[in-house]
Amino acid sequence: SEFNVTRNYLEWLTSLPWGLHSNENFSIRRAERVLDRDHYGLEDVKNRILEFIAVGKRLGAVPQGKIVCLMGPPGVGKTSIGKSIAEALGREFYR
């Protein structure tokens, strides 16, 4: 069991696109449009994401080591919020 967990983790880790970069789009208006188009409600979550993007815009890049942690039960929209964040920033989404 431990072998399979380790193997799956290593396969996942090596499949990540290491060294590939994309230009980031820190347009807060665009991010707001994408989030409002894709998600009804969730104002607290959307405001926090816009705050995160605004800090990235101010610094010129998403701060190193910053992670947006989305937690909740299955089916509440964590993955779709992640996809919307990637689209708003002009990045490819990896799950």
Side-chain angles (χ1 to χ4, degrees):
S1 169
E2 208 171 299
F3 170 78
N4 288 330
V5 171
T6 304
R7 180 180 174 178
N8 288 339
Y9 175 71
L10 290 173
E11 285 178 2
W12 172 80
L13 193 62
T14 57
S15 71
L16 291 175
W18 297 100
L20 296 179
H21 301 279
S22 57
N23 294 328
E24 296 172 329
N25 181 354
F26 291 111
S27 171
I28 296 171
R29 290 177 200 249
R30 174 192 156 128
E32 191 170 19
R33 276 196 315 271
V34 169
L35 290 170
D36 286 340
R37 179 195 70 206
D38 295 345
H39 305 282
Y40 177 78
L42 303 173
E43 295 306 318
D44 291 342
V45 175
K46 292 191 286 188
N47 287 337
R48 179 62 185 103
I49 292 165
L50 292 174
E51 181 182 307
F52 179 79
I53 294 171
V55 169
K57 183 176 185 176
R58 179 83 169 127
L59 296 175
V62 171
Q64 291 294 327
K66 298 293 181 186
I67 297 173
V68 177
C69 179
L70 303 171
M71 54 187 271
V76 296
K78 298 177 298 290
T79 302
S80 63
I81 284 277
K83 288 180 181 178
S84 294
I85 293 169
E87 181 183 342
L89 289 174
R91 293 181 172 185
E92 191 170 343
F93 178 76
Y94 288 93
R95 182 172 182 205

